[in-house]
Amino acid sequence: KLDKSLTDLRIATNGTYEETAKLLSSYTKLGKQLGATTKEVADSADSWLRQNKTLAETNTLVQDSMILSKLGQIDSANATQYLTSATKGYNVAVKDSIGIVDKLTAVDIQSATSAGGLAEAMSKVANLANMSGVSMDKLLGYLALVGEVTQKNMSEVGNSFQTIFARLGNIKVNKFIDDETGDDLSQVESVLSKLGVNLRDTQGNFRNFGDVLDEIGGKWKSFSNIEQSAIGVAISGVRNRENFNVLMNGYGKALEYAGVSANSSGNAMKKFEAYQDSVESKTKKLTATLEG
């Protein structure tokens, strides 16, 4: 197994056997620091190196994805995948990637969702959310609120928001048929406008969808049931209306979670200290020593 990890790293780095063996040895040391096996660290590093990251960048990203793996109770491959989606979707610099783990683990503490589940959900929608003008903090607030209320699979929750943001994206480019459902989107803007919610600003440019949702959330309880239903169908479609209604009914709570996310700096490392004291961590450190 170690030889396969070494071979994969050689292919990713185009290095010699001796160079790669030294690299693998460094991952043994990192594993002992993090409470992870050499193979876990090497497999994560292989994924980052294949994204054309430098060795220095890879070391940072490996550490962050390993921390997410342990705190989110997900395997290292999924942690790497989810962190990749988040960093690319929101254009987060390598040096700031630990901040994403801070946000995930902080919201995990406050909501009835897990860091791993939130990371999975965000991986489905990060790019579209960013393009729609929804901050990562708000997105995590939305996902946490809908996830804890509905208790649906977090991948499903992420996909539902992907559909919602995609519908807005279609309207922006004058494409009035939903690719997924075939719904007619030509009336969405007029439906919202009749209820005092504008998708465009006074210059005719589309507003950030995060601001639009803030406005709808603030007015939600003043709308009649019929108006709420009309807005839900217009924005999310029939299939995702339940999740949208859950978000609007608990919008204040979603913003609370967004605030938790925004003020989460340093949270991941504090939580990681508890993992470092665990039997699992000490066992994997021993395993890494034997692998070395």
Side-chain angles (χ1 to χ4, degrees), residues 90-268:
Y90 277 97
N91 300 313
V92 176
V94 170
K95 65 182 178 63
D96 299 322
S97 59
I98 190 61
I100 299 173
V101 187
D102 285 336
K103 295 176 185 297
L104 292 167
T105 53
V107 177
D108 170 334
I109 295 173
Q110 297 297 323
S111 68
T113 56
S114 68
L118 289 168
E120 181 180 14
M122 186 163 65
S123 72
K124 305 292 183 183
V125 68
N127 186 52
L128 272 175
N130 188 33
M131 291 172 60
S132 300
V134 176
S135 70
M136 186 182 295
D137 295 323
K138 280 187 179 178
L139 176 61
L140 287 174
Y142 299 165
L143 295 171
L145 187 280
V146 174
E148 71 176 7
V149 172
T150 65
Q151 289 298 298
K152 292 179 179 177
N153 181 285
M154 290 303 292
S155 176
E156 182 182 345
V157 173
N159 283 330
S160 70
F161 279 98
Q162 182 186 53
T163 298
I164 291 170
F165 297 145
R167 287 167 72 91
L168 177 70
N170 284 338
I171 296 170
K172 281 186 175 182
V173 296
N174 296 318
K175 184 178 180 181
F176 297 117
I177 298 296
D178 188 312
D179 293 332
E180 182 179 342
T181 65
D183 291 347
D184 182 1
L185 304 177
S186 60
Q187 300 301 314
V188 172
E189 194 166 2
S190 61
V191 168
L192 294 175
S193 180
K194 287 177 183 177
L195 296 173
V197 178
N198 296 312
L199 288 181
R200 303 173 194 261
D201 59 24
T202 54
Q203 284 74 44
N205 300 313
F206 279 97
R207 299 165 62 196
N208 285 340
F209 197 42
D211 295 336
V212 174
L213 289 178
D214 284 348
E215 184 176 349
I216 296 173
K219 296 178 178 179
W220 187 252
K221 293 182 180 178
S222 68
F223 296 135
S224 69
N225 289 341
I226 294 175
E227 290 170 336
Q228 289 178 354
S229 179
I231 292 173
V233 172
I235 291 180
S236 62
V238 174
R239 186 184 305 174
N240 296 294
R241 181 173 56 181
E242 178 193 355
N243 287 352
F244 181 79
N245 287 348
V246 166
L247 174 62
M248 288 298 108
N249 286 323
Y251 201 74
K253 193 67 175 178
L255 292 182
E256 282 184 34
Y257 292 150
V260 170
S261 174
N263 295 287
S264 60
S265 179
N267 180 74

